[in-house]
Amino acid sequence: MILAAAVFMAGCISCKESYSEDVVIKVNRIWESEKHCAFTSLTRFDGRYYVAFREAGGHIFEADGSARGQIRILESRNGRKWKSVACLSKEGYDLRDPSLSVTPDGRLLVSMGGSIYVDRKLVGRDPMYSESMDGRSFSHPEPIEIVSPNATGADWLWKVDWNGDTGYGVVYSALEDSTDPAENKTIVFLVRTADGVHYEDVAKIDVPGFPNEAAVHFLPDGRMLMLLRQEQLDKEGIWGVSEAPYTHWTLTKVGFQLGGPNFIALNDSTIIAGSRSYLIPGSYKTMLLKAGLDGRFEQIAVLPSRGDTSYPAFLVVDDELWVSYYSSHATPKAAVYLARIPLKMLDI
């Protein structure tokens, strides 16, 4: 069902002569239920499209105070009709923030966080994985192994992306709580894997300000790009660029706060990113941004959204950019949406 339209901002992006200053994009709601659906991931596998997200009673807690999020996985052949093919759960864990990727040996990998709560207090974190050979039958979630001197035992592998035979992701690990806002509550570091199950340390990334959610993707020449959220100090997001072996980073502040950040490199010089917009306090939106490799982002669109929203994922399909995200603007609880944007509207 077509629900709403996204409007590109005049002055932020050049439109072809056949378009007016405001370009309308159709957006479809692809999943809703009586539960809160959030934190999306999107990929193509074996000729079909997959969207994964957390489904639970609330953003964190159920009505009884427990936290028991499940990971639902949708499948589609055309991006219009979607069906549920799996709902992953693990007793005693709140599963959230799924990351879909395709391994070099042809498995559909689901990386996810596993939180343990007691009396509404977070007491443990274990990153988890599930996998499928056919996109329909998924293994039971099991712990990921992270071998790093930076790991604290309360670790969160937020997303995974592959460069050749090696997968990479940024882990944020909890430190002891401090009442001093100048002291970090987390440490972030880059890890790599050959199988999506066992990860080893690559490099610590020195970022203050309670760094956490970080997406990494690659340019065709092998450079790694990173967009990272921070929660303290000035709360500005961080843009990073690194060359192999990815132990040294050029880091730049993006100038605004991020929430659920992700991005895609459309070519070797154009980045499209998405995040929660905090520009209007108390009126959050999911915004799209455009930048070059210098990390100077400018907002180009606001997707139909409000309230609890963000965590987009990106995929180029033929001549379109697909964007999955979630929002609570049109349903009693947050639902999942898919936007389709013609690449020519992005001057690509």
Side-chain angles (χ1 to χ4, degrees):
M1 178 172 58
I2 295 172
L3 294 176
V7 179
F8 275 88
M9 307 302 184
C12 291
I13 188 167
S14 298
C15 297
K16 304 302 181 182
E17 292 183 359
S18 58
Y19 301 125
S20 64
E21 288 187 342
D22 292 333
V23 179
V24 176
I25 300 170
K26 294 177 180 179
V27 178
N28 287 10
R29 185 193 305 154
I30 63 172
W31 189 264
E32 64 175 305
S33 71
E34 74 284 357
K35 296 186 176 182
H36 181 274
C37 303
F39 321 125
T40 75
S41 185
L42 168 67
T43 197
R44 181 195 291 111
F45 174 73
D46 196 23
R48 299 183 295 274
Y49 304 102
Y50 291 84
V51 170
F53 53 91
R54 177 183 183 266
E55 192 172 57
H59 190 99
I60 298 179
F61 297 111
E62 306 287 325
D64 62 4
S66 64
R68 50 179 185 269
Q70 301 176 322
I71 303 302
R72 186 170 295 279
I73 301 172
L74 308 182
E75 176 199 270
S76 175
R77 291 191 175 275
N78 56 19
R80 295 176 178 84
K81 294 182 178 180
W82 295 83
K83 65 178 181 180
S84 175
V85 293
C87 190
L88 309 176
S89 62
K90 190 172 181 68
E91 183 68 27
Y93 284 87
D94 172 29
L95 302 181
R96 59 195 304 122
D97 293 347
S99 172
L100 294 172
S101 65
V102 180
T103 65
D105 60 357
R107 291 171 289 132
L108 180 56
L109 178 70
V110 190
S111 309
M112 68 201 90
S115 298
I116 305 170
Y117 286 90
V118 175
D119 296 329
R120 290 181 175 261
K121 182 179 180 180
L122 180 63
V123 298
R125 285 175 173 160
D126 293 316
M128 300 279 173
Y129 81 96
S130 172
E131 60 186 6
S132 175
M133 294 299 297
D134 60 6
R136 292 174 175 81
S137 177
F138 289 80
S139 64
H140 187 70
E142 296 294 344
I144 284 171
E145 180 186 25
I146 298 175
V147 178
S148 168
N150 298 303
T152 66
D155 311 308
W156 201 273
L157 174 64
W158 204 57
K159 291 188 180 297
V160 177
D161 195 23
W162 295 83
N163 184 29
D165 293 334
T166 306
Y168 292 86
V170 171
V171 175
Y172 68 92
S173 296
L175 303 174
E176 291 186 7
D177 286 347
S178 170
T179 58
D180 184 350
E183 293 185 10
N184 267 2
K185 294 181 180 294
T186 56
I187 185 174
V188 292
F189 54 99
L190 183 69
V191 295
R192 65 188 172 203
T193 182
D195 59 8
V197 179
H198 306 90
Y199 291 78
E200 63 181 8
D201 189 74
V202 176
K204 179 185 174 184
I205 303 172
D206 290 316
V207 177
F210 193 178
N212 47 77
E213 301 166 346
V216 294
H217 299 294
F218 292 89
L219 292 174
D221 64 10
R223 281 179 291 175
M224 186 188 298
L225 310 175
M226 176 182 67
L227 191 59
L228 182 146
R229 176 181 182 175
Q230 58 172 351
E231 291 296 297
Q232 291 180 337
L233 303 179
D234 59 19
K235 297 186 178 181
E236 289 189 20
I238 302 293
W239 174 249
V241 181
S242 181
E243 296 184 359
Y246 315 121
T247 55
H248 300 285
W249 286 83
T250 299
L251 302 176
T252 306
K253 290 186 177 182
V254 301
F256 50 87
Q257 186 176 359
L258 298 174
N262 202 357
F263 68 96
I264 186 171
L266 293 181
N267 52 41
D268 59 6
S269 61
T270 304
I271 307 300
I272 300 296
S275 171
R276 180 182 298 125
S277 172
Y278 294 90
L279 296 178
I280 303 176
S283 182
Y284 304 137
K285 307 287 186 181
T286 292
M287 62 178 174
L288 299 182
L289 308 110
K290 186 177 181 180
L293 296 185
D294 58 3
R296 298 178 61 182
F297 287 92
E298 58 179 352
Q299 183 175 300
I300 59 171
V302 175
L303 297 175
S305 55
R306 186 175 64 249
D308 194 354
T309 184
S310 186
Y311 291 73
F314 300 89
L315 183 67
V316 172
V317 180
D318 298 326
D319 60 351
E320 293 181 325
L321 176 64
W322 290 12
V323 185
S324 66
Y325 69 104
Y326 82 95
S327 177
S328 59
H329 70 285
T331 53
K333 293 195 174 182
V336 177
Y337 297 82
L338 181 71
R340 291 179 169 209
I341 305 170
L343 290 175
K344 60 185 177 181
M345 292 183 180
L346 302 170
D347 279 353
I348 301 301

